[in-house]
Amino acid sequence: MAKFKKPSVYFVAGSLLIFLVIQGLISTGTLNDYWKGIIFWGGAITIVTLGLNLIYGFNGQFSLGQYGFYGIGAYGSAYVTYHWVRGDPAAMVVALFGSLLVIGLYAALAWGLRRFYGVTVKARFTFYLIITILGFWASVVVLVPLLGPMMWGFFAALPEAVAQPLVFFLALISGGMLAGITSFLFGLPVLELGSDYFGIATLGFTIIVKVLLDNTDTILPFPAMKGARGMLGIPRWTTWAWVFGTLFVVIVIMRNLLHSSVGRAIVSVREDERAAELVGIDVANAKILAFVLGSVFAGVAGGLRAHDITFLHPQSFHFIQSFNPLIIVVFGGLGSITGTVFTGFLWIVLLEGVLRLFLPSGYETWRFVIYPLILLMMMLLRPEGLFGTYELPFLRAAHVAKRQAIAQKPEEVPV
Amino acid sequence: MTNALVTRKRGKRPARFDGLILNRISLTIFGACGLMLLYVLANGFYRNPGVFIQQVLNGLQLGFIYALIALGYTMIYGIVKLINFAHGDVFMVGAFSSFYAISMLDLHRWPEWVWADAPPALVTLPGTVTVILLSMLISGALAVVIERFAYRPLRNKPRIAALITAIGVSFFMEYFGALPFVYTNNYQTYDRPFEVTVFSAGQIPIWVIVSFWVLLGVSVGIFLWLSWRWKCGDVAALAWRRHPLLQFGLLFGGFMAVVLTLTGVPLRIGDRFWELSVSSVMLVIMGSSIVLQVLLQYIVAHTRLGMAMRAAAYDKQAARLMGINVDMVISATFAIGGGLAGAAGVLFATAFRQVYYLMGITPGLKAFVAAVVGGIGSIPGAFVGSLIMGQTEVLAAGFISTPMRDAIAFSLLIIVLLLWPQGIYGEPPADKV
């Protein structure tokens, strides 16, 4: 036990306590379904926002595309389980093994491209795009008849209590991978742009995803998603253990990543891109890594949310919603994991729980009038966010705690 | 150090090949996609030229409305480097104020208060102009108030704080508007300030068309003459070339001449007539948009205020040291931008006959995209970008895929940003090392 430091032990013990308390409240029925939904929602939003914190708070890339990836993950994993519970493993095979195949092809292509010098980003993007299309096409044609019956037989042999969580886990992973592949393809050319232009391009991405989700059954070949009518019949598999487990894993992954030398490289890109490049950091790769990882988090969170509400509608991934993670991450403090987690839950609980329940009837719409006012007051009084750069001791790293986020520096000092 | 993100020294480097061939392959693929797109459009034109040109005219109308909004975005971004998400809602307030001015006050018929049986032309024109001016005034004042109370206190705070505030202001205006005693959360039918007349072939007197061609010809002639004078060494000619009246002649004469010729002259190919028409709404939108833009160009290029605005956009510190009241200049920019958005609101509501509390979001965003496509911070860029945006949207809806029009419009943004990272007219940013 001597290997573990005190903050780690406290952190794990505290997390376990929170988990057990809320699990107890749910098991005894103290929290009704409404509040349970609010807490699960809060968990999903928190994971999405942690992804944004990695992209914007730690890597300095202003992104509004988080809800696009959230939507891709939600629809992807929901499509997988929708077909799985109806006895069709094809979607699972394509989403899981197809994504793995594509990632493998990416690795091969990256290895091949390293043999060439002077390849422009646009050319790289073209080849990656072609490889992606080929990979998914091959997985539909080859892998589905090959692996589909095998996989179905394997899961049929397992007891139900093991098979169902395993399928859910694989569906979440598939959603995350689909979001990750999309974000890699999108981020490859677009991350080259400057900060504001990148933000606008990601906003455009969210809108494109929303339009595509509106037309999943007419233009895209996914009839079960039912386009603008909304997708019904997703199994309700999300439990508090799943939400909490995912959140815990995401926090630990982020913490460990940011404490490593790769994490320091990511943070150095935020501090000064040019200086980072001069000390030999591959800036483009650092940006891609943070962007893809943040999007994978969003995709997994989408899967959790989809299997909680069991109904998906493109309107929930409207670009106006994509301001929510941004607002939460700024509220909690850019570059603070603690602040993000706290504010993510607070935001959902306040906005959807407390304000909706405690405003007198007929005044529910007032909560969107009150909430921007709180936002304005907050920005005027404490623009660095609730927590600033504060971190719990477990999550704290010297370079994160000491320095101010570059985004928090004033643009110019008055004369 | 073992780090994937840090370049390592390698003992033996494998042989590396020239990537030029790969770049050319990818360019060929991109080019093929572009050619396919052109083929789709050309096919649409070939099948029914009349419908195609009618779509182009509709796109022009949309583009002129976007241009007015985009100018506000581009000016505000140029001077305070803020994506003003509340601009679309200023546009919405402009539309609503004209809605109430028309439906409650009957302001568009005010000449009748003075002169009971005035001829219709004398009622409509001053009435419409008054409604537009009132909306511009209200939305300009609103923009100034927003700037004063929401953005100015954050001027020296991190940029993200101002951005979040802009989003907050935008939400506040939308959902405050949705309250039952403000605008309600329903669509409302908008009464146009003037009657719509549709002109089709043969209904426009030929002398009107000819006079626009003459206006265009004279303007182009003067322009070419001034260019020649400038080439010969006459420095004053360069300034004269930017004269607002000349610009007005070029833009107004050019657009009006082309549009009216296409719609007014009965053209035909083979035995088929082009059934084109233009409505008075379109003419009003084009006319007022061009007038306002030329006015703006005049303010920016020829007045002290415009000079101060350009100076503040270039370097706020230095402008302050030169004795420019930067706060006042920023307020003026917001007032002008808000006023243009208000005018755009009236024109948009007139064209589409609906007002709604969320109506500002989509046009606002598309106008912003248009400003980025044209090169943010550049006034001609906003105009050109808006025209491109309007055409893309309408042609995509007409000939590629109707439900995908927004997706295609925003793909245009991404493609343009990849090809010209600063937009078409944008200048590369000053790189601070």
Side-chain angles (χ1 to χ4, degrees):
Chain A
M1 282 305 284
K3 269 179 79 179
F4 293 108
K5 289 181 181 158
K6 254 187 187 170
S8 315
V9 176
Y10 289 157
F11 181 77
V12 174
S15 311
L16 211 62
L17 192 69
I18 293 173
F19 169 69
L20 287 177
V21 165
I22 292 186
Q23 184 61 52
L25 288 178
I26 290 172
S27 305
T28 54
T30 318
L31 289 178
N32 57 14
D33 275 357
Y34 179 72
W35 280 102
K36 220 167 77 181
I38 296 275
I39 288 176
F40 290 2
W41 191 1
I45 290 285
T46 305
I47 297 169
V48 174
T49 314
L50 280 172
L52 183 67
N53 203 358
L54 185 60
I55 298 168
Y56 185 36
F58 290 106
N59 198 23
Q61 304 303 313
F62 174 57
S63 168
L64 289 168
Q66 209 63 356
Y67 255 61
F69 300 115
Y70 183 51
I72 289 174
Y75 267 89
S77 59
Y79 195 72
V80 166
T81 52
Y82 176 91
H83 282 288
W84 184 271
V85 296
R86 283 161 183 75
D88 178 13
M92 170 71 101
V93 171
V94 172
L96 187 67
F97 294 105
S99 303
L100 285 174
L101 177 71
V102 168
I103 292 169
L105 288 173
Y106 281 176
L109 186 63
W111 182 84
L113 282 175
R114 225 175 290 144
R115 308 279 134 198
F116 292 88
Y117 57 87
V119 185
T120 57
V121 175
K122 277 157 226 158
R124 278 170 203 275
F125 168 72
T126 321
F127 292 115
Y128 278 111
L129 184 66
I130 292 169
I131 278 282
T132 314
I133 294 167
L134 280 181
F136 278 116
W137 176 77
S139 68
V140 170
V141 175
V142 180
L143 291 184
V144 167
L146 202 70
L147 292 174
M150 228 156 80
M151 207 174 164
W152 188 253
F154 174 70
F155 276 95
L158 288 176
E160 178 62 26
V162 180
Q164 184 257 312
L166 195 56
V167 168
F168 186 34
F169 176 73
L170 292 180
L172 288 183
I173 295 285
S174 322
M177 281 200 296
L178 289 175
I181 287 171
T182 324
S183 73
F184 176 76
L185 274 181
F186 179 75
L188 193 67
V190 174
L191 273 169
E192 286 234 313
L193 304 169
S195 55
D196 276 359
Y197 291 99
F198 178 69
I200 299 153
T202 45
L203 184 63
F205 172 78
T206 316
I207 295 168
I208 293 172
V209 169
K210 200 256 168 187
V211 173
L212 286 176
L213 291 181
D214 268 334
N215 299 296
T216 38
D217 53 345
T218 50
I219 291 171
L220 299 180
F222 305 118
M225 290 187 189
K226 294 196 187 67
R229 285 167 291 164
M231 186 177 182
L232 276 169
I234 307 161
R236 188 188 290 270
W237 283 349
T238 305
T239 60
W240 171 238
W242 276 107
V243 175
F244 184 84
T246 318
L247 184 58
F248 187 81
V249 169
V250 164
I251 291 175
V252 170
I253 288 178
M254 264 184 78
R255 181 255 184 197
N256 284 358
L257 176 77
L258 291 167
H259 285 208
S260 70
S261 67
V262 175
R264 282 194 293 278
I266 286 176
V267 174
S268 73
V269 170
R270 173 192 76 185
E271 299 291 336
D272 192 332
E273 224 174 276
R274 200 168 289 263
E277 207 167 355
L278 283 173
V279 295
I281 286 166
D282 192 339
V283 170
N285 273 3
K287 285 181 181 177
I288 287 265
L289 179 68
F291 187 55
V292 170
L293 199 58
S295 310
V296 169
F297 292 164
V300 173
L304 285 174
R305 178 81 182 128
H307 292 84
D308 174 34
I309 49 172
T310 71
F311 171 69
L312 289 176
H313 193 274
Q315 203 63 34
S316 355
F317 305 104
H318 198 268
F319 76 90
I320 296 185
Q321 313 285 339
S322 76
F323 292 129
N324 295 348
L326 184 71
I327 290 168
I328 296 170
V329 86
V330 175
F331 238 82
L334 276 173
S336 162
I337 300 175
T338 322
T340 305
V341 175
F342 182 78
T343 327
F345 278 100
L346 183 79
W347 192 78
I348 289 290
V349 168
L350 268 186
L351 200 60
E352 297 298 329
V354 176
L355 280 181
R356 196 195 278 272
L357 286 185
F358 295 106
L359 280 175
S361 66
Y363 287 88
E364 284 88 356
T365 44
W366 274 88
R367 71 186 205 278
F368 284 110
V369 180
I370 296 167
Y371 143 71
L373 290 180
I374 299 173
L375 203 66
L376 294 184
M377 293 310 292
M378 176 79 189
M379 283 302 114
L380 288 174
L381 299 176
R382 203 174 155 77
E384 71 272 22
L386 278 178
F387 283 73
T389 43
Y390 172 80
E391 289 283 19
L392 287 177
F394 170 70
L395 302 168
R396 192 181 298 155
H399 66 281
V400 178
K402 273 184 192 158
R403 289 185 201 164
Q404 289 282 310
I406 187 97
Q408 300 198 354
K409 279 182 196 158
E411 179 73 354
E412 59 174 29
V413 184
V415 179
Chain B
M1 184 163 52
T2 54
N3 184 335
L5 298 180
V6 176
T7 329
R8 276 165 296 177
K9 273 184 192 165
R10 272 171 292 185
K12 196 177 146 229
R13 287 197 165 198
R16 300 182 87 202
F17 311 106
D18 194 348
L20 199 63
I21 175 98
L22 300 185
N23 297 348
R24 285 196 181 145
I25 291 172
S26 88
L27 259 181
T28 318
I29 293 169
F30 271 118
C33 292
L35 281 181
M36 231 157 77
L37 207 66
L38 271 184
Y39 170 74
V40 170
L41 291 183
N43 197 26
F45 180 76
Y46 175 74
R47 287 216 176 146
N48 197 338
V51 169
F52 189 89
I53 293 181
Q54 190 68 56
Q55 294 281 27
V56 170
L57 293 184
N58 294 343
L60 214 58
Q61 172 181 334
L62 210 55
F64 274 109
I65 297 177
Y66 287 160
L68 287 180
I69 314 172
L71 285 170
Y73 269 118
T74 208
M75 283 165 61
I76 291 168
Y77 188 90
I79 204 159
V80 284
K81 298 282 177 288
L82 167 71
I83 304 175
N84 184 10
F85 280 110
H87 200 65
D89 301 294
V90 172
F91 161 89
M92 179 265 292
V93 169
F96 266 102
S97 44
S98 75
F99 171 73
Y100 286 120
I102 289 167
S103 63
M104 286 189 169
L105 297 178
D106 248 3
L107 195 71
H108 61 302
R109 309 179 68 83
W110 70 264
E112 285 186 348
W113 305 344
V114 191
W115 181 14
D117 35 59
L122 275 185
V123 176
T124 311
L125 194 69
T128 309
V129 171
T130 317
V131 169
I132 294 180
L133 285 180
L134 179 78
S135 285
M136 286 177 70
L137 204 68
I138 291 176
S139 21
L142 178 70
V144 171
V145 169
I146 292 172
E147 194 274 333
R148 177 66 189 80
F149 291 104
Y151 302 152
R152 191 178 295 179
L154 293 168
R155 187 90 36 84
N156 298 314
K157 296 272 167 57
R159 264 177 68 195
I160 181 68
L163 188 76
I164 297 281
T165 309
I167 297 170
V169 169
S170 164
F171 280 179
F172 177 76
M173 277 157 68
E174 281 153 18
Y175 289 99
F176 187 73
L179 292 179
F181 54 86
V182 191
Y183 305 142
T184 75
N185 55 0
N186 290 318
Y187 285 95
Q188 290 173 57
T189 313
Y190 182 88
D191 300 317
R192 290 179 169 129
F194 52 90
E195 297 296 318
V196 181
T197 19
V198 177
F199 305 103
S200 46
Q203 287 181 350
I204 301 166
I206 204 80
W207 61 267
V208 176
I209 302 174
V210 172
S211 61
F212 278 117
W213 279 109
V214 169
L215 176 63
L216 177 65
V218 169
S219 315
V220 171
I222 296 176
F223 187 82
L224 290 177
W225 181 70
L226 286 174
S227 307
W228 178 71
R229 289 293 308 156
W230 180 52
K231 273 267 170 68
C232 294
D234 184 359
V235 182
L238 190 61
W240 278 104
R241 219 171 59 160
R242 295 211 202 103
H243 196 275
L245 275 179
L246 185 59
Q247 285 184 347
F248 179 76
L250 279 172
L251 278 176
F252 195 65
F255 277 106
M256 279 302 206
V258 171
V259 168
L260 290 184
T261 310
L262 283 175
T263 52
V265 179
L267 297 168
R268 75 182 182 172
I269 294 178
D271 54 350
R272 211 163 43 174
F273 277 101
W274 293 7
E275 287 156 359
L276 293 175
S277 60
V278 61
S279 72
S280 51
V281 176
M282 160 109 189
L283 296 181
V284 167
I285 286 174
M286 239 164 64
S288 37
S289 181
I290 290 176
V291 167
L292 288 172
Q293 283 181 56
V294 171
L295 211 61
L296 175 72
Q297 189 70 38
Y298 173 73
I299 291 175
V300 170
H302 294 267
T303 60
R304 288 175 68 86
L305 175 66
M307 204 193 287
M309 276 160 65
R310 280 178 290 147
Y314 190 74
D315 190 338
K316 267 206 273 304
Q317 303 275 8
R320 222 176 253 135
L321 291 175
M322 295 299 121
I324 293 170
N325 185 350
V326 173
D327 280 343
M328 196 277 290
V329 170
I330 291 175
S331 287
T333 311
F334 271 83
I336 293 171
L340 291 177
V346 182
L347 298 178
F348 191 84
T350 311
F352 297 100
R353 297 211 62 194
Q354 261 183 354
V355 280
Y356 182 48
Y357 75 105
L358 289 178
M359 69 183 280
I361 296 177
T362 318
L365 211 60
K366 280 184 185 150
F368 178 62
V369 167
V372 174
V373 165
I376 198 149
S378 146
I379 288 173
F383 178 58
V384 172
S386 303
L387 291 190
I388 293 176
M389 191 71 194
Q391 294 303 337
T392 314
E393 205 183 323
V394 168
L395 292 183
F399 297 99
I400 299 173
S401 161
T402 312
M404 297 286 288
R405 58 190 280 177
D406 286 1
I408 292 169
F410 286 97
S411 312
L412 171 86
L413 163 80
I414 294 171
I415 291 167
V416 168
L417 281 183
L418 292 181
L419 295 180
W420 301 282
Q422 268 76 43
I424 295 170
Y425 277 73
E427 286 164 12
D431 216 352
K432 284 177 195 158
V433 180

